[in-house]
Amino acid sequence: MLLWAGLPLNAVSVAESNKIPEKESAKTPVDFTQEVQPLLAKHCYSCHGPDVQEGGLRLDQSELAFRKLESEATAVVPNHPDQSELIARITSKDDSLQMPPEGERLKPEQIEVLRNWIQQGAEWKKHWAFQPPERKSPPETNQSQWVKNPIDAFILAGLEAKGLTPAPPADRVALIRRVYFDLTGLPPAPEEVDQFVNDSSPDAYEKLVDRLLASPRYGERWARHWLDLVRYADTNSFERDGDKPNAWRFRDYVIRSFNEDKPYSQFIKEQLAGDELDQVTNDTIIATGYYRLGLWDDEPADPLLSYYNELDDIVSTTSQVFLGLTLNCARCHEHKIDPVPHEDYYRFMAFFHGLNSYGTRGDQLSFNQTDITTPELSAKYAEYDQQKSELKKKMHAIEEAAIKKMPGVDQRRSETRERGKLLKEKLAEYLEPEQSQTYQGLKEELKQLEAERKKLPPRKAALSVRRSRREPRETFVLLRGNPHVRGDKVEPGFPELFGKTQAKIPAPGKNQQTSGRRRVLAEWVADGDNMLTSRVIVNRIWQHHFGRGIVQSPNNFGQLGVPPTHPELLDWLALEFVKGGQRFKAFHKLILMSNTYQMSSRYSEQAAAVDPANDLFWRFNMRRLSAEEVRDSILAVNGRLNLKMYGPGIYPLISQEVLQGQSQPGKGWGDSSEEERSRRSVYIFVKRSLVTPLLFNFDFADTDSSCAVRFVTTQPAQALGMINGQFANRQAELFAERLIEEAGTEYPRFVTRAIRLAYGRTPHAGEVEDGVQLIKRLMEKHSLKEKQALDYFCLTILNRNEFVYLD
């Protein structure tokens, strides 16, 4: 918003000519952090923010917003909107004076917010997220009988303030499908639906929730949400898109962590500093694979810039995922929106400056692979290696004795790469009979030893942080983000918006291998008193249960993020999460047991007129299944889902046409057995340049950076893949085979069982007859054989909206 680029404007005359009736006092106090600051950030900061101050005006700091400007006008005059140049310019009809000069004008209701705020005294508060959470008691409500737990009180109070009422409860079938998919990512079997629907005990739903939280399927479902955030993939991207060896161990670590209900604080520390903790285990080493999941260029044009790009990826991911802050926006200059100086970015980066690059073109393993073989197995390998070394020494002594008898040219040849070839050609003729016999005996011993060694289980390695520096590199502010242009030196520190910036880094102990910097950062992030960490994670959990967060920009809690719709509820949840020991399962249960979660998705014209986006949660939002849920559901209903857990990634079938589209056609995609290909989608090998088509069509996560929210699109490739795709058609055939086995070819029974398996419910009136008629029409009109007709019927069942949408 370019406010004072031209001549001074008489605020009073403009206000009079474009007057919006001024109220002596607004009905309700205007909340600066929720209503005013987002408007200023969106419409004004580009010209009057931290980077640019046209006309001497800066609107991101109160002391500068209230002072006189170069034009002698004052942007904000508390209690006097008609004397405030801000109001004059945003209401002006003169194209040369109106603000903002380009783009969308402020709407009348937005102008009224600013006017009322100034009328009420223009109170300027710190951004809501940059203040510690404040615990407030759940509000009183009129419909107290609807309040099942404090969540309901906060939601209902907001609805009642707008004259709205919550939707009625969801029916039992919709509810069990909802909670099954939310917690496990899989549909309930018809028998499980019947058991729940017919269970009239008051704790039937609670028992269901407890059972699903205890299921190993829970970890597989919720791990995928975390993997989206930390940009998980099994390859490096760029032209060759080479493999990240053992990346799958990190995926399995996340699944185990959720199933074990590991406290979030511990989960944070293990990923950020698993190699620096007091108790270093294989799991904590694997957890540091977090740092190795990003993009890596194996042939950079500028190696130094490439290294700093890797660090930027870590700074960006860490600040957004754990803190909801876009610190990466301060890499080249002061943050345009949030109070994050240029130096803050580099102070934060300094925590990671002991890390080496992922690798080099010539060595792609030394810095990212750690041996995690068990001590017992390592001892056996060491024993074999010792025996091998002793045999090699004895053989070498015999070889050297023979070489001394050879001509000088051969002796010199023995000192080159030709030694092996030389020994093979001439060793025998220079050995004495006794030496030859001894040498052959040693060779046989070595052969037997190596055969025995091969029988041992393979050694284990993990994608991880390895050889992190005890003495980290010095960190400098890089001017305009250019690593070749250094500015002032900085030390590790926290963003100044937290108040305390200095980080105390203890001197490394005598036997300590690393600097310990990352542990200091991890403990600060994981601390229950950190004002952002708990808010960010509870918002993410809410998001995955309700389809969107209380803050709808889950990776950005800054001033240009979307303000929370229920700030008091968000703070209450954050503090409750910390109070409960930062345990996920109890927190899930708290949400799932609320009436807010158990509402139906029933539409209300009255509510939609007041709150069309359902920001107040007057009903439950319908949602489409995620890409993984679509694929896994197909496998579940046809009975072919393989529930084997953990291990290296699997490779679904991909057409040759798709494989040929890579820079190295077909390279890097394995061939799994049909049984392995029927495993859950979380175990699919994630190749950045070759996402499995079905997952890609249904909006699989972008793996190049942290993915906080997946797009939900509706586009032709989805329908084409589900109708014509090889996977969908093959699975429909298997679905028909299951139905024939369970229900026979008596068409009404076949159709009924198909509907029950796919949708959980009993068929509607006339639905079975419609299905039977379709099967008969396919055979009679289109001359299909019975099995083909049944296959196509099953394909239609998998292609209904009801299969991929939850009510």
Side-chain angles (χ1 to χ4, degrees):
M1 181 185 287
L2 186 58
L3 260 174
W4 278 274
L7 296 173
L9 178 68
N10 185 311
V12 176
S13 64
V14 172
E16 288 297 327
S17 62
N18 303 281
K19 195 161 186 180
I20 296 174
E22 182 180 330
K23 302 174 184 177
E24 293 189 5
S25 62
K27 292 181 180 178
T28 56
V30 177
D31 188 320
F32 175 79
T33 63
Q34 298 292 310
E35 300 177 81
V36 176
Q37 190 278 329
L39 288 177
L40 299 179
K42 181 177 181 180
H43 296 281
C44 309
Y45 283 7
S46 59
C47 297
H48 305 290
D51 208 44
V52 178
Q53 296 90 43
E54 294 284 354
L57 175 63
R58 182 168 179 174
L59 284 171
D60 65 315
Q61 295 181 3
S62 58
E63 62 272 18
L64 300 178
F66 295 142
R67 73 181 184 184
K68 271 195 175 182
L69 303 161
E70 296 168 2
S71 64
E72 296 299 316
T74 303
V76 178
V77 181
N79 303 117
H80 299 285
D82 281 348
Q83 296 177 26
S84 300
E85 192 80 355
L86 174 66
I87 300 299
R89 289 301 181 99
I90 63 176
T91 58
S92 174
K93 294 182 180 178
D94 187 333
D95 290 344
S96 65
L97 299 173
Q98 71 178 24
M99 296 297 148
E102 298 176 351
E104 183 183 359
R105 297 294 307 274
L106 272 75
K107 298 174 182 177
E109 58 267 27
Q110 294 173 323
I111 294 173
E112 191 67 8
V113 166
L114 294 174
R115 178 182 290 279
N116 287 339
W117 169 63
I118 294 174
Q119 181 68 39
Q120 293 170 11
E123 182 183 8
W124 198 290
K125 293 180 180 178
K126 187 185 288 189
H127 181 60
W128 68 268
F130 303 157
Q131 304 175 67
E134 183 180 351
R135 180 178 286 277
K136 292 191 177 180
S137 299
E140 296 293 327
T141 60
N142 296 326
Q143 303 174 62
S144 57
Q145 71 280 1
W146 190 80
V147 176
K148 201 168 186 179
N149 70 22
I151 291 173
D152 296 331
F154 285 105
I155 295 297
L156 184 58
L159 292 174
E160 290 182 342
K162 295 291 186 179
L164 303 178
T165 56
D171 68 64
R172 302 278 274 192
V173 175
L175 185 59
I176 188 174
R177 280 177 57 81
R178 179 186 300 172
V179 73
Y180 252 84
F181 276 107
D182 270 10
L183 291 183
T184 72
L186 294 171
E191 296 72 23
E192 293 167 323
V193 174
D194 291 343
Q195 181 183 355
F196 177 63
V197 169
N198 297 324
D199 188 346
S200 59
S201 61
D203 62 345
Y205 177 66
E206 184 175 7
K207 288 187 297 186
L208 172 65
V209 169
D210 288 340
R211 178 165 60 83
L212 295 178
L213 286 171
S215 166
R217 313 282 81 82
Y218 158 77
E220 292 172 327
R221 168 63 175 155
W222 280 81
R224 186 60 254 182
H225 296 317
W226 188 258
L227 296 177
D228 282 6
L229 289 172
V230 298
R231 77 271 188 246
Y232 175 84
D234 292 287
T235 61
N236 292 313
S237 192
F238 291 93
E239 183 181 4
R240 276 170 286 276
D241 197 19
D243 291 359
K244 291 182 181 292
N246 299 302
W248 58 270
R249 294 194 193 279
F250 179 86
R251 173 246 290 150
D252 289 356
Y253 155 79
V254 177
I255 293 172
R256 287 195 305 273
S257 295
F258 276 100
N259 277 335
E260 294 167 4
D261 202 20
K262 184 175 291 180
Y264 185 53
S265 55
Q266 183 66 18
F267 191 52
I268 293 171
K269 292 174 188 177
E270 289 176 354
Q271 290 175 82
L272 296 182
D275 58 327
E276 295 185 335
L277 302 178
D278 291 336
Q279 297 294 324
V280 176
T281 65
N282 281 355
D283 254 15
T284 69
I285 291 296
I286 293 168
T288 65
Y290 161 82
Y291 290 109
R292 302 309 191 189
L293 296 174
L295 309 184
W296 177 66
D297 188 353
D298 64 1
E299 196 175 21
D302 184 337
L304 185 62
L305 176 61
S306 180
Y307 172 65
Y308 275 93
N309 286 343
E310 286 183 65
L311 290 179
D312 179 70
D313 171 62
I314 291 169
V315 169
S316 174
T317 305
T318 304
S319 63
Q320 290 181 33
V321 169
F322 297 106
L323 302 172
L325 291 176
T326 55
L327 293 187
N328 50 300
C329 292
R331 179 181 182 180
C332 302
H333 44 66
E334 188 169 310
H335 199 294
K336 297 276 188 184
I337 305 298
D338 296 332
V340 179
H342 194 29
E343 294 77 11
D344 269 7
Y345 172 89
Y346 291 96
R347 280 195 286 264
F348 200 78
M349 176 186 283
F351 286 109
F352 310 114
H353 231 157
L355 297 173
N356 292 301
S357 175
Y358 174 90
T360 64
R361 182 78 184 275
D363 180 3
Q364 299 188 16
L365 299 176
S366 294
F367 297 121
N368 62 61
Q369 296 293 314
T370 303
D371 191 313
I372 57 170
T373 309
T374 62
E376 296 79 13
L377 185 57
S378 292
K380 289 181 180 179
Y381 270 105
E383 182 182 347
Y384 277 110
D385 291 342
Q386 178 63 29
Q387 292 177 33
K388 181 178 179 179
S389 177
E390 290 173 0
L391 289 173
K392 285 279 192 180
K393 284 180 183 178
K394 292 176 182 178
M395 292 173 66
H396 186 78
I398 294 173
E399 291 166 358
E400 287 298 305
I403 289 170
K404 287 179 181 178
K405 300 176 184 178
M406 295 180 187
V409 64
D410 286 335
Q411 291 185 29
R412 288 189 293 275
R413 188 180 171 200
S414 73
E415 297 171 356
T416 70
R417 295 178 182 177
E418 293 283 311
R419 180 184 176 93
K421 188 176 181 181
L422 171 69
L423 294 176
K424 188 175 182 180
E425 293 173 353
K426 298 186 176 183
L427 179 62
E429 65 182 275
Y430 288 96
L431 290 177
E432 299 295 334
E434 185 179 341
Q435 288 178 314
S436 181
Q437 186 177 358
T438 303
Y439 190 78
Q440 290 303 320
L442 291 172
K443 278 185 72 174
E444 187 59 33
E445 277 189 67
L446 181 60
K447 184 179 178 180
Q448 291 177 0
L449 183 68
E450 289 178 341
E452 289 296 320
R453 191 179 188 275
K454 286 181 180 178
K455 294 179 182 178
L456 291 175
R459 300 184 75 98
K460 293 182 179 180
L463 184 75
S464 57
V465 165
R466 184 167 174 242
R467 293 166 61 182
S468 180
R469 295 187 175 201
R470 179 183 169 93
E471 294 292 334
R473 300 169 184 81
E474 292 182 314
T475 305
F476 298 87
V477 172
L478 305 181
L479 304 184
R480 302 300 299 173
N482 187 342
H484 300 285
V485 185
R486 291 180 171 183
D488 295 335
K489 181 180 176 180
V490 295
E491 297 297 330
F494 310 119
E496 67 177 27
L497 61 87
F498 286 88
K500 181 182 178 183
T501 61
Q502 186 177 3
K504 294 181 181 179
I505 314 293
K510 183 179 179 181
N511 299 319
Q512 189 172 319
Q513 306 264 323
T514 67
S515 68
R517 286 184 177 185
R518 286 179 286 111
R519 178 173 180 175
V520 172
L521 174 66
E523 290 177 342
W524 174 78
V525 172
D527 193 305
D529 289 333
N530 187 301
M531 66 185 178
L532 282 173
T533 305
S534 57
R535 276 173 167 156
V536 169
I537 191 60
V538 300
N539 185 66
R540 296 192 193 283
I541 298 171
W542 184 278
Q543 167 195 337
H544 293 303
H545 282 309
F546 289 95
R548 67 152 180 86
I550 295 172
V551 176
Q552 295 185 51
S553 53
N555 268 14
N556 186 0
F557 275 42
Q559 296 181 129
L560 207 54
V562 180
T565 55
H566 297 74
E568 293 181 354
L569 171 59
L570 180 66
D571 281 2
W572 185 88
L573 290 171
L575 294 171
E576 196 70 12
F577 181 66
V578 173
K579 181 182 175 183
Q582 301 191 36
R583 299 276 185 176
F584 287 111
K585 291 189 178 182
F587 191 75
H588 285 302
K589 187 172 180 179
L590 174 68
I591 291 175
L592 297 175
M593 294 305 296
S594 69
N595 274 327
T596 302
Y597 179 82
Q598 296 175 54
M599 276 193 290
S600 72
S601 61
R602 184 180 298 178
Y603 183 78
S604 163
E605 288 190 5
Q606 176 200 358
V610 176
D611 178 26
N614 194 28
D615 286 338
L616 297 174
F617 297 103
W618 49 268
R619 68 168 178 158
F620 196 90
N621 285 325
M622 292 182 68
R623 78 168 177 89
R624 199 202 68 201
L625 300 183
S626 68
E628 294 91 338
E629 287 173 309
V630 171
R631 180 181 175 276
D632 294 353
S633 294
I634 293 172
L635 292 168
V637 301
N638 73 14
R640 269 36 181 211
L641 182 63
N642 178 358
L643 293 177
K644 174 184 172 183
M645 297 181 71
Y646 308 130
I650 61 168
Y651 300 91
L653 286 176
I654 293 181
S655 70
Q656 286 301 313
E657 292 82 357
V658 174
L659 292 174
Q660 291 301 312
Q662 297 182 277
S663 61
Q664 295 178 296
K667 186 174 181 181
W669 196 254
D671 183 19
S672 299
S673 66
E674 186 168 356
E675 182 181 9
E676 284 290 292
R677 290 198 297 267
S678 296
R679 293 178 63 194
R680 293 199 69 177
S681 301
V682 72
Y683 298 111
I684 289 177
F685 186 87
V686 181
K687 188 172 179 65
R688 283 191 158 104
S689 62
L690 187 65
V691 178
T692 303
L694 179 69
L695 301 188
F696 179 83
N697 290 342
F698 282 94
D699 311 308
F700 185 72
D702 175 16
T703 58
D704 285 357
S705 57
S706 176
C707 180
V709 180
R710 292 190 185 185
F711 292 111
V712 179
T713 64
T714 302
Q715 40 93 5
Q718 294 166 354
L720 290 171
M722 288 292 287
I723 294 172
N724 300 320
Q726 181 183 7
F727 174 80
N729 276 269
R730 174 57 182 158
Q731 299 309 314
E733 292 171 6
L734 295 172
F735 188 18
E737 290 175 13
R738 176 184 183 178
L739 293 171
I740 291 170
E741 184 179 332
E742 294 182 5
T745 55
E746 184 184 338
Y747 301 152
R749 291 184 61 199
F750 184 95
V751 171
T752 299
R753 184 62 176 165
I755 291 170
R756 293 239 51 203
L757 284 168
Y759 314 137
R761 59 173 175 79
T762 55
H764 300 314
E767 193 173 12
V768 173
E769 180 58 26
D770 289 343
V772 171
Q773 290 304 315
L774 173 59
I775 294 170
K776 290 180 177 178
R777 191 161 58 251
L778 288 169
M779 290 189 292
E780 295 166 2
K781 184 177 180 180
H782 300 282
S783 303
L784 296 184
K785 294 180 180 178
E786 183 180 54
K787 178 58 167 63
Q788 289 178 305
L790 297 176
D791 292 345
Y792 276 120
F793 170 76
C794 288
L795 188 63
T796 67
I797 288 290
L798 300 179
N799 272 275
R800 290 191 194 177
N801 276 349
E802 189 174 359
F803 187 73
V804 295
Y805 280 90
L806 288 179
D807 192 349

